Amino acid sequence: MQRLVILVSGRGSNLGAIARACRDEAWPATIAAVISNRPDAAGLALARELGLPAVALDHRAHPDRAAFDTALADAIDAAGADWVVLAGFMRILGEPFVQRYAGRMLNIHPSLLPAFPGLHTHRRALDAGCTLAGATVHFVTPTLDHGPIVAQVAVPVRPGDDEASLAARVLVAEHRLYPQALRWCLEGRVRLRDGGIVAEPGLERGRFVDPAAG
Ligand code: GRF
């Protein structure tokens, strides 16, 4: 059994999607801990409801970023993590932390990277007149939202979309994408080697889905 540690800061809907897939598809993996830098995060409450070990690690209780990163690494290692899964984790992680989990730490970002790293992705996609939006699962590297891409999903931008409607459409697609991409990594079907992706031939790592079309 591979041990997953999932890091959340907010609502935790991707955590929920991963936990369901892990259980329903009987992955050879277990969620060893869910850790949040926000003690009041809904994602932490969800973890408890799901019966998962939930750890609050308030970043405000640490004097600086390095001290928080050290405490976070201690908590992750105490859980015996094989994989670190960022699911709406809103803290920037320092380089030593990122190097420690190189090749076994994933993130999901709500844009078609390398477009729109950082915040407010949906607003920026709308402002730019994009006709497609989407989400990306990538290995985490020291540069924010820039790591090698495991998988992507594209969804249409519709006339009349606002930030909320577009975010909702992308989120539905995220909930399909993240469990799938994570599972590929757990199974070794997608790996990081020499800073690049090695993927099993034939894997459909990029997809277009239209949630309205079912
Ligand atoms: C998602 O849109 C994810 O792509 C981004 O943060 C959001 C987290 O949502 N990194 P949730 O907490 O999983 O519901």
Side-chain angles (χ1 to χ4, degrees), residues 143-200:
T143 309
L144 184 72
D145 299 331
H146 270 85
I149 291 171
V150 176
Q152 289 185 304
V153 63
V155 303
V157 177
R158 298 214 176 281
D161 261 341
D162 59 16
E163 225 178 314
S165 63
L166 182 56
R169 190 174 310 118
V170 172
L171 193 64
V172 171
E174 287 186 43
H175 294 162
R176 300 187 201 175
L177 179 74
Y178 211 175
Q180 174 76 87
L182 173 57
R183 189 169 183 179
W184 284 339
C185 292
L186 297 178
E187 292 172 346
R189 301 170 79 187
V190 180
R191 285 178 291 121
L192 189 67
R193 195 167 67 201
D194 301 330
I197 292 287
V198 181
E200 181 184 292

Side-chain angles (χ1 to χ4, degrees), residues 11-131:
R11 142 188 83 178
S13 69
N14 278 288
L15 158 67
I18 290 167
R20 272 192 301 279
C22 186
R23 183 196 60 202
D24 297 348
E25 299 170 10
W27 290 4
T30 182
I31 299 177
V34 175
I35 303 176
S36 180
N37 63 307
R38 296 203 165 272
D40 59 350
L44 216 47
L46 174 64
R48 291 190 195 100
E49 272 168 42
L50 294 171
L52 302 171
V55 179
L57 197 67
D58 193 337
H59 63 274
R60 292 165 300 192
H62 297 82
D64 53 30
R65 194 179 295 285
F68 174 71
D69 281 5
T70 300
L72 184 58
D74 287 349
I76 290 169
D77 295 349
D82 297 302
W83 289 88
V84 180
V85 180
L86 309 186
F89 187 68
M90 299 303 285
R91 297 292 298 168
I92 291 178
L93 298 163
E95 184 152 357
F97 182 95
V98 171
Q99 297 300 0
R100 183 182 185 94
Y101 302 105
R104 52 194 188 103
M105 179 156 63
L106 298 175
N107 181 44
I108 188 163
H109 182 74
S111 79
L112 293 171
L113 290 173
F116 312 125
L119 297 174
H120 310 303
T121 55
H122 305 303
R123 189 194 310 160
R124 288 155 65 205
L126 290 168
D127 288 349
C130 293
T131 56

